[in-house]
């Protein structure tokens, strides 16, 4: 047995107004945002926002609303988006705000769905766009980009005026969704490939000149144009410039980094106290601002020369490590991927990246693909939503030596605490990128808190499995019941028929246990748990599953209920405000709420279930598609949905081993909302063409290639989709110069399709029946 101990005898985190305390705003409804030096406030209460990056211009505007609703269902409560200059003014003086470039429509949808919005307005954005978003024609002008050059500012001013016209009346204090604006990006830190140079790769643009003076001038131009948000934001890593006032510095965390060749294990999974005095080279006082992330990796875009495969466990672990380390705002780049638009004169992608796809392996991807990290982020977002007001004021306490653990250290236990007044959360991490960490067996953690000693577990030891990261509570009040410690992870809370319900889940390999103080809990129902009585506590070993509710009878005479879900159930849990109250909804299908209906999409299976708590009576719900039956399931009402199965007609003709002509039946029945092609192949790069136009492409990185067909459905009628593979070469390439560069290849070329399978997406919406 290895015992780890920590005495929590230090002072609470000092909370003070900070530099952003004046950056607060109230909208016409009386809703407000504000800041302390440590966290953000919503209507006067501490919050931990979850920000999701979604580039509207990289997705079909016909489906923006659905995708925003999926983001909201996934736990995102703030949207961030770039406005790429060259998408809108590709040709000098000709601005395009139509179709997928319709910024105003996107802003209005965010307002409709009550999603606050951060606009990242450039002029330089990067985002893996050609020239970082600066149009080619700018480089033909006698000016210095990213500086206070008079001519450059002339064009920046014109751009800002155009953006301001599109978002007129949309600032938060005007009743709109825009709470913040980012000027520039990574200014004074890095540039981007100068793709307009055209002669060779590796020529980069300036990282900027002028420091805060240039940002001040951009701010003046933005405000003069009418963009007056509550606060501005600035990317604050790598010595980037950060203005002194009304600006929130924001950080980045990437582990799978194509810009670092042969990248070693990163330091992003090591616990640190991020809210400390600034390190050398940081030009702002970090103690005056909350720690906020605008670019925490939700995945990573593959490039031709670097093809990382980002695991969902890595995204989950980084979220918990940054949260434990004191971050009180978590932003994912990207949260939602998409497709680059085609320009008038060529592709608008950055050199070396796919021409079209910007899927990014993100939680929501190109064509609305739902990835495995979507469920993991949602489970953590539910936790931050339910307990953020308690967690946000808590300071980070590091066990000795934690922040000096080397990323390649596979022996040291990684853990830390956030606490206030002796209550808090224990964070554990056993994931490291590019390495396999061993299971941590026979571990015991003991904390000496202001409320007494607690241990994990209460008796004996625990095992922390490889790749598992977890957050465990101690001395946490649950509506009057004191939870002394638990080896189950908090998920969310709500009320069921006036009784508070707290939902936890069992992490992989951690034996579930909850310890309650007898000073607050008089008795515990044991139908769904094993309860052991000790002198001062109840030690509860719960049954796992949504059907097993534990009732706590408090010394005050009140009751509290607790459910401990399985890990799989937790990853299928959503929380919605629908039919007059907050409800938990569990389903293996994908869910979002629109117009008082739960829209449920099942990938490939024509039968699925949706479990809802608080329960509704039998017959209270009706499905828009298929048959539905229901039954009570503990505190839940489970609706079983069955729609007619659909087998898509698919004809594949292969004129070459590397080419496939795919004819798809587009006469989908009403229960089918989309059809994805899952393409498994070996090769280097692949493209999907329709009428000789590239719809999307794929740089092979070890995963199947998903192609959503919904937005091309009409175009595919009676036309083949051409899938083409560029071969992967294994052998030797000889190059020589004969007026131009010439090559001769000796070896084998690999280009073969293994599987092309259509997956129907079945959709049915549940609504309350009217009797």
């Amino acid at each position: 047995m290895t015992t780890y101990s920590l005495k929590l005898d230090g002072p609470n985190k000092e909370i003070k107004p900070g530099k952003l305390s004046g950056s607060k705003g109230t909208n016409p409804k009386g809703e407000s945002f504000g800041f302390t030096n440590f966290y953000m406030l919503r209507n006067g209460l501490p919050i931990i926002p979850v920000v999701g990056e979604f580039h509207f211009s990289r997705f079909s505007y016909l489906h923006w609303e659905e995708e925003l609703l999926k983001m909201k269902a996934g736990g995102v409560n703030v949207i961030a988006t770039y406005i790429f200059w060259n998408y809108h003014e590709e040709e000098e003086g000709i601005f395009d705000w139509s179709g997928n470039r319709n910024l105003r429509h996107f802003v209005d949808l965010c307002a409709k769905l009550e999603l606050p919005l951060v606009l990242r307005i450039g002029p330089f954005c990067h985002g893996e766009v050609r020239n970082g978003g600066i149009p080619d024609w700018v480089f033909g002008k006698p000016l210095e980009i990213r500086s206070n050059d008079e001519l450059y500012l002339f064009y920046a001013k014109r751009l800002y005026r155009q953006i301001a016209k599109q978002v007129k009346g949309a600032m938060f204090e005007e009743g709109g969704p825009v709470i913040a604006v980012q000027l520039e990006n990574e200014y004074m830190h890095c540039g981007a490939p100068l793709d307009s140079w055209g002669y060779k790769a590796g020529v980069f643009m300036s990282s900027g000149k002028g420091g805060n003076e240039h940002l001040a001038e951009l701010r003046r131009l933005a405000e003069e144009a009418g963009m007056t948000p509550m606060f501005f934001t600035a990317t604050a890593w790598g010595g980037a410039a950060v203005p002194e006032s009304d600006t929130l510095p924001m950080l980045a965390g990437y582990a799978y980094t194509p810009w670092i060749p042969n990248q070693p294990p990163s330091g992003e999974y090591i616990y640190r106290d991020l809210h400390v005095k600034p390190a050398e080279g940081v030009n702002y006082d970090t103690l005056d601002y909350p720690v906020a992330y605008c670019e925490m990796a939700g995945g990573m875009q593959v490039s031709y020369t670097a093809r990382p495969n980002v695991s969902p466990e890595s995204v989950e672990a980084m979220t918990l490590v940054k949260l434990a380390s004191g971050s009180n705002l978590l932003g994912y780049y990207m949260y939602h991927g998409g497709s680059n638009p085609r320009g008038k004169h060529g592709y608008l992608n950055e050199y070396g990246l796919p021409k079209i796809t910007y899927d990014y392996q993100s939680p929501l991807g190109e064509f609305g693909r739902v990835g495995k990290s979507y469920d993991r982020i949602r489970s953590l977002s539910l936790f931050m939503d339910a307990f953020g007001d308690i967690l946000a004021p808590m300071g980070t306490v590091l066990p000795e030596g934690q922040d000096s653990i080397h990323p390649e250290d596979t022996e040291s236990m990684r853990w830390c605490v956030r606490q206030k007044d002796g209550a808090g959360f224990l964070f554990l991490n056993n994931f490291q990128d590019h390495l396999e960490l061993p299971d941590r067996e026979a571990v015991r953690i003991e904390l000496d808190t202001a409320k007494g000693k607690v241990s994990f577990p209460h008796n004996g030891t625990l095992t922390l499995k490889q790749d598992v990261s977890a957050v465990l509570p101690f001395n946490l009040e649950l509506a009057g019941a004191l939870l002394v410690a638990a080896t189950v992870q908090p998920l969310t809370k709500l009320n069921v028929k006036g009784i508070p319900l707290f939902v936890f889940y069992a992490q992989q390999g951690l034996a579930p246990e909850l310890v309650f103080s007898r000073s607050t809990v008089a008795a515990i129902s044991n139908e769904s748990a094993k309860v052991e009585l000790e002198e001062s506590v109840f030690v509860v070993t719960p049954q796992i599953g949504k059907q097993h509710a534990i009732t706590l009878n408090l010394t005050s005479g009140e009751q509290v209920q607790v459910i401990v879900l399985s890990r799989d159930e937790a990853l299928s849990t959503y929380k919605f405000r629908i039919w007059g109250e907050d409800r938990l909804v569990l389903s293996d299908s994908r869910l979002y709420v629109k117009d008082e209906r739960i829209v449920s999409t099942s990938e490939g299976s024509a039968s699925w279930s949706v479990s809802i708590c608080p329960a509704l009576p039998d017959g209270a719900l009706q499905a828009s598609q298929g048959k539905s039956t229901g039954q009570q399931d503990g505190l839940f009402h489970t609706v079983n949905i069955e729609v007619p199965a659909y087998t898509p007609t698919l004809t594949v003709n292969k004129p070459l081993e590397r080419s496939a002509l795919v004819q798809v039946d587009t006469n989908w029945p009403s229960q089918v909302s989309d059809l994805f092609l899952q393409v498994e192949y070996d090769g280097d790069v692949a493209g999907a063409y329709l009428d000789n136009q590239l719809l999307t492409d794929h740089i092979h990185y070890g995963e199947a290639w998903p192609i959503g067909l919904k937005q091309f459905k009409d175009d595919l009628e009676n036309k083949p989709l051409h899938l083409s593979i560029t071969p992967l070469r294994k052998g030797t390439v000889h190059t020589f110069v004969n007026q131009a560069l010439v090559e001769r290849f000796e070896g084998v070329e690999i280009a073969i399709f293994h599987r092309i399978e259509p997956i129907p997406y079945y959709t049915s919406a549940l609504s309350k029946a009217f009797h």
Side-chain angles (χ1 to χ4, degrees), residues 15-22 35-39 287-290:
I15 309 297
K16 58 184 182 180
K19 286 281 182 69
L20 278 170
S21 58
F35 289 94
T36 70
N37 69 316
F38 196 48
Y39 50 77
L287 291 175
D288 276 335
Y289 302 90

Side-chain angles (χ1 to χ4, degrees), residues 559-637:
Q559 285 189 331
V560 169
Q561 290 187 308
V562 171
I563 288 178
V564 180
L565 302 175
S566 68
R567 163 79 168 178
D568 287 344
E569 286 176 323
L571 293 179
S572 68
T573 298
Y574 298 73
K575 185 179 179 183
F576 298 121
R577 182 79 181 176
I578 189 170
W579 307 318
E581 59 186 313
D582 289 336
R583 297 182 189 273
L584 285 188
V585 187
L586 275 67
S587 182
D588 289 335
S589 66
R590 303 301 182 181
L591 307 176
Y592 63 84
V593 164
K594 183 181 180 184
D595 301 330
E596 289 296 291
R597 302 189 308 162
I598 298 176
V599 181
S600 174
T601 298
S602 173
E603 301 175 12
S605 176
S607 60
W608 67 96
S609 65
V610 180
S611 298
I612 303 170
C613 173
L616 291 92
D618 285 337
L621 294 177
Q622 59 186 15
S624 64
Q625 296 286 342
K627 300 176 183 177
S628 62
T629 58
Q631 74 272 353
Q632 295 301 114
D633 200 1
L635 296 177
F636 288 80
H637 176 70

Side-chain angles (χ1 to χ4, degrees), residues 122-180:
F124 175 84
C125 292
H126 202 183
E128 289 71 66
V129 167
R130 182 177 175 86
N131 306 323
I134 296 180
D136 279 26
W137 57 263
V138 172
F139 297 96
K141 303 291 182 180
L143 54 76
E144 186 161 20
I145 64 166
R146 307 180 79 181
S147 78
N148 281 346
D149 177 287
E150 185 177 347
L151 186 56
Y152 178 73
L153 290 177
F154 168 81
Y155 291 117
K157 178 179 180 178
R158 190 172 70 178
L159 171 67
Y160 281 9
R161 282 184 169 182
Q162 281 281 328
I163 295 171
K165 189 185 299 184
Q166 299 301 315
V167 301
K168 185 175 176 59
M171 299 297 117
F172 179 74
E173 288 179 299
E174 300 172 303
V178 179
I179 60 171

Side-chain angles (χ1 to χ4, degrees), residues 64 120 163-164 170 190 203 252 290 324 400 434 677 718:
W64 283 347
R120 307 174 81 180
I163 295 171
C190 70
V203 176
E400 185 177 358
H434 298 86
L677 289 184
N718 301 320

Side-chain angles (χ1 to χ4, degrees), residues 216-524:
E217 187 62 19
L218 290 180
R219 174 175 173 170
R220 186 186 70 79
L221 295 178
E223 291 179 329
E224 184 184 84
M227 288 184 281
T228 54
M230 281 190 303
F231 61 100
F232 291 87
T233 72
T235 48
W237 54 87
V242 177
E244 282 288 323
S245 61
D246 305 325
T247 301
L248 176 64
M250 302 192 80
L251 304 176
Y254 292 104
Y256 299 85
T257 48
W259 52 87
I260 301 177
N262 302 313
Q263 187 217 305
S266 77
E268 301 295 346
Y269 301 96
I270 305 299
Y271 293 114
R272 296 181 171 89
D273 188 349
L274 295 169
H275 201 251
V276 293
K277 290 182 179 180
E280 187 177 347
V282 176
N283 70 340
Y284 64 96
D285 188 345
T286 51
L287 291 175
D288 276 335
Y289 302 90
V291 177
Y293 277 81
C294 64
E295 292 194 16
M296 200 169 59
M300 180 51 66
Q301 180 69 328
V302 296
S303 67
Y304 191 79
T305 54
R307 310 184 184 200
N309 192 330
V310 181
S311 72
E313 290 81 12
S314 71
V315 178
E316 182 176 16
M318 187 181 294
T319 301
L320 282 176
V321 167
K322 301 308 180 189
L323 190 63
S325 299
S327 177
N328 276 331
L329 187 152
L330 298 171
Y332 295 94
Y333 188 105
M334 294 290 296
Y335 185 89
H336 200 312
S339 309
N340 293 314
R342 256 190 311 271
K344 296 177 182 178
H345 306 292
Y347 297 107
L348 294 174
N349 62 308
E350 182 179 294
Y351 179 88
L353 274 78
K355 293 180 172 64
I356 299 292
T357 185
Y358 197 69
D359 178 82
Y360 214 85
Q361 304 177 55
S362 49
L364 296 174
E366 192 178 26
F367 313 120
R369 171 197 58 75
V370 180
K372 292 180 181 178
S373 59
Y374 178 76
D375 295 331
R376 288 161 171 80
I377 290 175
R378 187 181 65 252
S379 69
L380 299 178
S381 299
L382 286 170
F383 164 65
M384 287 180 272
D385 177 65
F387 299 97
D389 59 330
I390 299 171
L391 175 60
M394 291 179 171
T396 296
V397 183
L398 292 173
E400 185 177 358
Q402 276 293 311
D403 55 357
S404 60
I405 291 175
H406 194 277
E408 295 185 10
D409 179 352
T410 62
E411 301 300 319
S412 298
M413 176 80 173
R414 303 177 184 195
W415 64 291
C416 86
V417 166
R418 281 184 72 169
Q419 75 92 38
K420 180 184 177 185
D421 296 328
F425 298 92
L426 166 67
F427 291 84
L428 306 172
N429 174 42
N430 203 26
F431 175 89
Q432 175 65 55
D433 66 297
H434 298 86
L435 274 183
E436 290 188 357
L437 300 182
D439 292 350
R440 311 287 178 196
E441 298 179 335
V443 168
R444 181 173 176 80
I445 297 176
E446 297 177 346
L447 304 178
D448 189 355
T449 81
K451 296 179 182 292
K453 294 184 178 181
V454 297
S455 59
F456 301 85
H458 184 67
N459 296 303
T461 63
L462 60 79
T463 296
L464 184 64
K465 292 286 190 181
Q466 181 186 89
D467 292 343
V468 171
S469 52
V471 53
L472 308 176
F474 62 92
N475 291 329
L476 180 65
E477 188 194 353
L478 306 180
L482 181 62
L483 179 62
V484 177
T487 57
V488 290
Q489 183 154 323
L491 183 64
T492 188
K493 62 182 180 181
L494 70 161
N495 281 303
V496 178
K497 297 181 179 178
I499 298 175
L501 172 65
F502 291 87
V503 184
F504 297 81
Y505 67 96
Q507 276 282 13
Q508 310 102 301
L510 285 177
E513 171 189 271
L514 302 101
V515 180
F516 291 99
S517 170
R518 291 182 63 188
S519 65
T520 59
V521 178
I524 300 176

Side-chain angles (χ1 to χ4, degrees), residues 87-126:
Y87 283 15
H88 299 283
E89 194 188 4
E90 188 179 355
E91 296 178 334
E92 183 177 358
I94 303 173
F95 283 89
D96 184 358
W97 299 99
S98 64
N100 296 349
R101 294 168 168 87
N102 191 337
L103 171 60
R104 184 67 200 205
H105 180 38
F106 186 77
V107 170
D108 287 344
L109 284 174
C110 289
K112 173 186 175 181
L113 303 178
E114 299 182 323
L115 284 166
L117 179 61
V118 178
L119 297 178
R120 307 174 81 180
I121 66 173
F124 175 84
C125 292
H126 202 183

